[in-house]
Amino acid sequence: MQTATAIPTVPKAPRPRADALRNRERIVTAAREMFTEYGPDVPLDEIARRAGVGNATVYRNFPDRDALVREVVCSVMDRTSEAAELALAETGDAFGALERFVHASADERVSALCPMVSSTFDKNHPDLEAARERCEQLIGQLMDRAKAAGQLRPDVGVGDVMIAAAQLSRPPAGTGCLVNDRFVHRHLQLFLDGLRAPARSALPGAAVTMEDLRQA
């Protein structure tokens, strides 16, 4: 009679405690705010102070600045994706849903990503690529729906929308971006009105994709 071989059990990785998760979220939120206000080189000690945690807590969660910058970029992309998902869940006016998404993404201060994305961290990190792909796909679905409804001009791409939203939503981080908030949604609406179909003029060049922006 054979004796059954015991299968070794693999211990599960311990789940982070609730307070540890809250601290991590506070750090990311504080970093997002301070990167927007002062740029990506703000001292990590200042981020810890605003988050209400010790320096050791910051370094325990993020071993270096690049890790924190990457997490902030992913966080902003995830929040932008969530805004796109809410817009896709709407029924009725497809262009209106796109408009609400663009205004919501502006409130995430998309333009503050620009100096961070140009930093030295790994732009091909799996977390970043996954967040970027999800965001681009959702925006593309929003635009495709508006085009299918005959409300969005057909000669624009995701890159057109995102670069305009970034350029119009806020000046670069650390250059008075909070002072100019009152102009943001006014200028975005002027841009959005230009996206409506039927188009009043032909655009030079071709629709801009996100890949075009990355190659540039």
Side-chain angles (χ1 to χ4, degrees):
M1 184 174 180
Q2 287 185 327
T3 303
T5 303
I7 300 175
T9 58
V10 178
K12 293 183 178 179
R15 296 180 63 183
R17 298 198 319 264
D19 58 341
L21 291 174
R22 284 193 296 270
N23 283 341
R24 184 179 178 89
E25 182 58 32
R26 280 200 289 264
I27 293 166
V28 173
T29 299
R32 185 173 66 240
E33 292 171 354
M34 298 194 78
F35 287 159
T36 299
E37 294 172 28
Y38 305 110
D41 296 324
V42 63
L44 297 185
D45 291 353
E46 294 298 323
I47 293 173
R49 186 174 294 111
R50 178 172 293 196
V53 301
N55 293 358
T57 303
V58 173
Y59 286 105
R60 187 162 55 247
N61 281 275
F62 304 102
D64 54 39
R65 178 180 296 274
D66 282 355
L68 178 56
V69 169
R70 182 173 61 249
E71 185 73 11
V72 169
V73 173
C74 288
S75 172
V76 172
M77 285 189 177
D78 287 343
R79 289 161 63 95
T80 302
S81 293
E82 289 166 9
E85 286 177 331
L86 287 174
L88 282 168
E90 296 181 18
T91 57
D93 184 359
F95 193 90
L98 176 63
E99 283 184 315
R100 284 184 284 278
F101 160 73
V102 172
H103 284 291
S105 68
D107 287 335
E108 293 299 331
R109 305 184 186 278
V110 175
S111 65
L113 286 177
C114 297
M116 289 190 281
V117 170
S118 65
S119 72
T120 58
F121 76 91
D122 180 10
K123 301 174 183 62
N124 297 314
H125 189 280
D127 291 348
L128 183 61
E129 288 194 334
R132 183 169 55 210
E133 183 177 347
R134 176 187 173 213
C135 189
E136 292 173 14
Q137 287 179 349
L138 288 166
I139 299 169
Q141 290 174 31
L142 265 177
M143 294 179 66
D144 289 344
R145 190 172 68 171
K147 288 178 181 179
Q151 296 175 305
L152 175 64
R153 56 190 299 162
D155 55 349
V156 294
V158 173
D160 290 306
V161 171
M162 293 313 294
I163 195 170
Q167 290 181 340
L168 294 175
S169 61
R170 302 289 192 277
T175 57
C177 57
L178 303 179
V179 175
N180 292 311
D181 275 6
R182 64 189 185 277
F183 304 127
V184 171
H185 294 289
R186 173 183 175 86
H187 294 161
L188 278 176
Q189 194 57 49
L190 286 169
F191 163 70
L192 287 163
D193 285 348
L195 295 183
R196 282 191 178 273
R200 301 192 61 172
S201 62
L203 294 176
V208 179
T209 67
M210 294 302 292
E211 186 60 31
D212 291 333
L213 298 184
R214 282 192 285 273
Q215 291 178 353

